[in-house]
Amino acid sequence: MHLSEGCNDSTSYCDAIGKIVHASRHAVLYGKIMEQYPEEVKQAARSLYLRRYKIREIAEALSVPKRTVYHWAQADSWEDLVAYETAEEAMQRRLAILAEREAKDVTELDEMDRLVAGLERLAHVALRKAAVRRDADGTGADASRHDTPPRDAGGRRRKAKIKNDVSRLTARDFEKLHRQWFRYQAELYEARRRRNRQILKSRQIGATWYFAQEAFEDATLTGDNQIFLSATRAQADVFREYIVQLAAEHFDLELKGKDKLALHTAGGPATLYFLSNNSKSAQSYHGHVYLDEFFWIRGFAELYKVATGMAAHKKWRRTLFSTPSAVTHDAYDLWTGERYQKRFRRKRVAFPGFEERRSGVMCPDNTWRKIITLHDAEAGGCNLFDIEELQLEYSPDEFRNLFLCEFVDDTQGVFRLADLELCPVDPDDWPDYVPGADRPFGAAPVWGGYDPSRSRDDASFVILAPPDQPGGVFRVLERYKWLDKSFTWQAEQIRGLCDRFNFQHIGIDTTGPGIGVYDIVRDFFPQAQSIHYSVAAKNQLVLKAKDVIESGRIHWSARWSDIAHAFLTIRQGLTSTGQMTYSAGRAAGVGHADAAWAVMHALAFEPLNTAQAQGCVIIS
């Protein structure tokens, strides 16, 4: 169940209700009884009302008195806003609401039985009417009482246009797509009939783009359902956007559908579902499953059970693909085969190693595995990368993790993957932030963090939305990576951001080349703070970030997986004098987890002791 069109599959009913109930607890800030609830609570109630929820159900879901909901409905004439529905549509809507409830009482079960019986009766009536029209062949008294199909100028009946009709497409039509693929994408296509596939890949090599094409072709030619599971709703929509673009550009077809695409194929109806990391919304589906970025999905073990359950029949296939995260992730033993060894083998069997998997290989657990590094992609014809440039932009640890398919051993790191998994969210759920607007965050305060490269004219800059009250949640609204730009150009970019956001703090690393940016920024933003690295300063930065991350107090877009990558590469070590310090593979000529340090420079404005009043922490 969902509270608004914006929720869709990305937010479960329970999650959405939890957010609203949390908001309602702050209602005491509003004076009178009828004005004591935030506007979002009232809007949520209105949305449920328009979806045919009962007043009692709305009141229970939102913890609002029934008389208050009645008052809202009457005062704002909600009933006038209710869209016209046929009896069948109203019954289907109510049945869907009841079906999604996990704990149903006897009354609700009885209501479901009556709704099903009513829908069956309506279906029989519709069939009888259709039979009458066919017998009359468009003439006679019975047919005159019903709508007849449209006719052309000659009086001949025109066939009604079928929505998402792909029935004319054949295997030959898709051959032109295959010619666009790189070699490794063609190898994935050759293995498409494998029941279980796991692919470990470099970033940005076109895996999602390829699998969207593969699934659309399979659905069109076979009539089989396809299910796409991703960490967030926004990521799931990427599959949908690729498929819609593909159909429009290559086949002149306009596919319509928000949460799913229902195709009319030569082999029968096929549905493409686009789901987020929400197992409750996916349990009733069946089809071929694609699980995107599975090494970055929180609660993977539970979702994997649901995914394999949806593809339990032997005809359905499961495809998992992702960039690597850390060895402590729930999916790591699935990838290595250790889970199979523990469950089914008394005597261990040998699994293919890293090099063998780069060629694509069947493993003892009946799973086809393949590794595609950036070098493999380049050898397969992908000319989209400048490897030398990337090696300068990222530390060796980050580069191996992001592009060479090596897992991070976070057991030796400062930040744990289990904590970082709680940070990625869908920014579409932030109603107060409008990216691209002249004032994306209005007049609300923000904090900035800037971290330069040690050897090049590039840097990272982040914008944080601080919590409304001490101990609340930070949000990374925007992040920038500036490459091969002078420090004066970078300072001007910060000036432009100051015109669009209400900055309270900008923390700038002045240990090296950042001093030039700091000198310019301080002229137009005097509150800019110099962060000069020392052992004590770095310890304070890391301790603050650890406290914020481990307490679940910071969120960023799930699209920015490199932020988590950067935090994972930060290690604890000793200086030459034996003092404890932190680093991220720093060496001359390489990057240094700049996204993570930029976030920490912004967080430095909050005291280590959040019970104190908010104020600046100057690090020097």
Side-chain angles (χ1 to χ4, degrees):
M1 285 184 256
H2 310 291
L3 296 180
S4 68
E5 295 298 332
C7 286
N8 297 319
D9 289 304
S10 66
T11 305
S12 69
Y13 175 76
C14 294
D15 290 341
I17 290 299
K19 292 180 181 178
I20 294 168
V21 171
H22 175 74
S24 69
R25 292 172 182 166
H26 296 80
V28 294
L29 298 177
Y30 299 77
K32 300 176 183 179
I33 292 177
M34 302 315 299
E35 299 174 351
Q36 66 176 340
Y37 295 95
E39 182 63 22
E40 56 264 31
V41 177
K42 184 177 179 180
Q43 292 300 320
R46 176 177 173 274
S47 177
L48 290 175
Y49 187 90
L50 297 181
R51 291 170 179 271
R52 306 289 183 162
Y53 280 71
K54 298 177 181 178
I55 294 292
R56 173 183 56 79
E57 295 172 332
I58 299 173
E60 292 176 355
L62 303 181
S63 299
V64 176
K66 287 190 292 186
R67 60 186 298 178
T68 300
V69 181
Y70 276 118
H71 173 81
W72 287 341
Q74 294 172 359
D76 295 340
S77 301
W78 287 355
E79 185 60 32
D80 295 340
L81 303 176
V82 176
Y84 172 78
E85 288 183 319
T86 64
E88 184 177 8
E89 290 171 338
M91 294 168 71
Q92 288 175 339
R93 181 184 291 276
R94 181 62 182 169
L95 183 61
I97 291 173
L98 294 172
E100 291 186 5
R101 295 183 181 172
E102 294 188 0
K104 303 178 183 68
D105 57 30
V106 175
T107 302
E108 291 170 335
L109 292 172
D110 180 64
E111 184 179 0
M112 290 180 66
D113 289 339
R114 288 186 282 109
L115 287 170
V116 171
L119 287 170
E120 290 178 347
R121 287 196 295 273
L122 289 174
H124 288 312
V125 170
L127 288 174
R128 287 198 298 272
K129 289 182 177 180
V132 170
R133 287 196 293 268
R134 287 194 299 271
D135 293 340
D137 194 26
T139 60
D142 289 325
S144 66
R145 293 195 297 267
H146 304 282
D147 293 334
T148 58
R151 299 174 182 272
D152 59 21
R156 296 181 295 274
R157 290 185 179 181
R158 295 197 308 266
K159 291 185 177 180
K161 186 177 181 180
I162 300 175
K163 181 180 178 181
N164 297 342
D165 185 7
V166 296
S167 59
R168 64 177 175 82
L169 299 181
T170 66
R172 177 166 294 184
D173 293 313
F174 286 94
E175 291 178 357
K176 59 185 177 182
L177 300 180
H178 302 178
R179 291 191 288 270
Q180 300 177 359
W181 293 342
F182 298 124
R183 189 173 67 213
Y184 55 90
Q185 292 168 330
E187 291 171 355
L188 294 175
Y189 185 77
E190 291 173 1
R192 69 191 184 282
R193 299 303 179 194
R194 305 286 187 181
R195 175 160 161 75
N196 296 292
R197 289 183 297 177
Q198 293 179 23
I199 295 92
L200 194 66
K201 67 179 188 67
S202 164
R203 291 188 68 198
Q204 300 295 314
I205 62 168
T208 303
W209 177 80
Y210 162 75
F211 284 119
Q213 294 189 26
E214 177 190 283
F216 176 63
E217 177 179 343
D218 186 72
T220 299
L221 300 182
T222 67
D224 286 349
N225 293 342
Q226 315 286 326
I227 302 171
F228 303 93
L229 282 169
S230 299
T232 67
R233 177 69 199 182
Q235 284 180 270
D237 280 339
V238 173
F239 280 109
R240 178 187 170 280
E241 291 169 5
Y242 281 149
I243 292 171
V244 170
Q245 292 172 5
L246 167 71
E249 293 175 7
H250 296 279
F251 305 118
D252 195 26
L253 291 171
E254 183 182 6
L255 300 183
K256 295 182 178 180
K258 188 174 183 181
D259 301 331
K260 61 184 180 181
L261 293 175
L263 306 182
H264 176 76
T265 79
T271 304
L272 280 60
Y273 299 97
F274 308 96
L275 310 175
S276 63
N277 182 11
N278 177 10
S279 60
K280 294 179 182 178
S281 68
Q283 292 175 350
S284 59
Y285 302 126
H286 61 273
H288 303 299
V289 174
Y290 292 86
L291 191 54
D292 182 16
E293 290 295 351
F294 68 99
F295 274 117
W296 293 97
I297 288 182
R298 183 171 70 246
F300 170 80
E302 178 182 355
L303 186 65
Y304 183 64
K305 290 180 182 178
V306 175
T308 53
M310 291 188 293
H313 293 174
K314 63 182 181 180
K315 69 170 290 185
W316 304 125
R317 301 183 294 274
R318 303 93 167 248
T319 300
L320 285 67
F321 62 101
S322 177
T323 53
S325 56
V327 296
T328 55
H329 191 270
D330 289 347
Y332 184 69
D333 65 340
L334 181 69
W335 166 256
T336 61
E338 188 63 26
R339 184 178 303 188
Y340 170 78
Q341 304 273 25
K342 290 179 179 179
R343 291 186 60 189
F344 301 109
R345 305 295 301 187
R346 293 184 179 180
K347 184 177 180 180
R348 299 181 66 86
V349 296
F351 267 67
F354 187 93
E355 292 301 322
E356 294 172 284
R357 297 187 187 192
R358 291 176 69 179
S359 301
V361 62
M362 278 297 295
C363 299
D365 58 351
N366 194 36
T367 298
W368 185 83
R369 290 178 171 86
K370 183 173 179 61
I371 293 174
I372 308 172
T373 68
L374 185 57
H375 297 309
D376 297 327
E378 190 175 52
C382 180
N383 58 357
L384 306 176
F385 298 92
D386 185 329
I387 294 181
E388 292 183 0
E389 187 87 5
L390 293 175
Q391 288 174 327
L392 290 174
E393 294 170 14
Y394 296 94
S395 72
D397 286 344
E398 287 180 295
F399 184 81
R400 289 194 297 269
N401 179 231
L402 292 171
F403 301 104
L404 300 186
C405 299
E406 293 187 18
F407 287 87
V408 174
D409 184 0
D410 60 333
T411 60
Q412 306 298 319
V414 176
F415 297 92
R416 298 177 301 175
L417 177 64
D419 297 322
L420 292 168
E421 282 183 315
L422 301 176
C423 300
V425 298
D426 192 339
D428 290 342
D429 295 334
W430 299 342
D432 54 347
Y433 170 61
V434 184
D438 291 339
R439 299 285 291 180
F441 205 49
V446 298
W447 301 352
Y450 171 87
D451 188 74
S453 168
R454 285 296 174 269
S455 60
R456 292 160 47 84
D457 291 328
D458 55 50
S460 281
F461 188 85
V462 301
I463 300 176
L464 295 188
D468 296 332
Q469 57 186 356
V473 175
F474 291 92
R475 291 175 289 167
V476 182
L477 299 182
E478 298 189 4
R479 55 139 325 164
Y480 301 89
K481 193 173 184 68
W482 297 321
L483 307 176
D484 292 324
K485 300 297 183 181
S486 68
F487 69 86
T488 55
W489 184 93
Q490 294 178 31
E492 287 304 312
Q493 298 307 301
I494 297 176
R495 185 197 298 270
L497 292 172
C498 286
D499 293 336
R500 300 176 61 225
F501 290 90
N502 178 22
F503 281 95
Q504 286 186 333
H505 158 78
I506 298 178
I508 298 177
D509 174 13
T510 58
T511 312
I515 187 65
V517 173
Y518 172 72
D519 284 343
I520 298 176
V521 170
R522 189 173 53 177
D523 288 339
F524 60 81
F525 186 76
Q527 303 96 309
Q529 296 298 329
S530 168
I531 300 178
H532 192 82
Y533 276 12
S534 65
V535 172
K538 291 170 68 175
N539 288 348
Q540 188 173 358
L541 286 171
V542 172
L543 287 174
K544 181 62 193 177
K546 275 180 61 66
D547 176 67
V548 169
I549 290 174
E550 290 176 0
S551 57
R553 294 184 53 227
I554 186 168
H555 292 158
W556 55 70
S557 170
R559 295 188 296 271
W560 298 334
S561 61
D562 57 323
I563 296 181
H565 279 283
F567 276 106
L568 285 173
T569 61
I570 296 176
R571 298 283 188 270
Q572 188 178 70
L574 296 176
T575 67
S576 59
T577 59
Q579 292 179 291
M580 184 181 69
T581 187
Y582 300 95
S583 63
R586 289 190 183 202
V590 299
H592 58 282
D594 52 341
W597 292 108
V599 170
M600 286 189 270
H601 296 161
L603 288 174
F605 195 54
E606 182 180 71
L608 285 173
N609 181 3
T610 55
Q612 299 176 7
Q614 285 187 356
C616 178
V617 178
I618 301 177
I619 302 175
S620 61

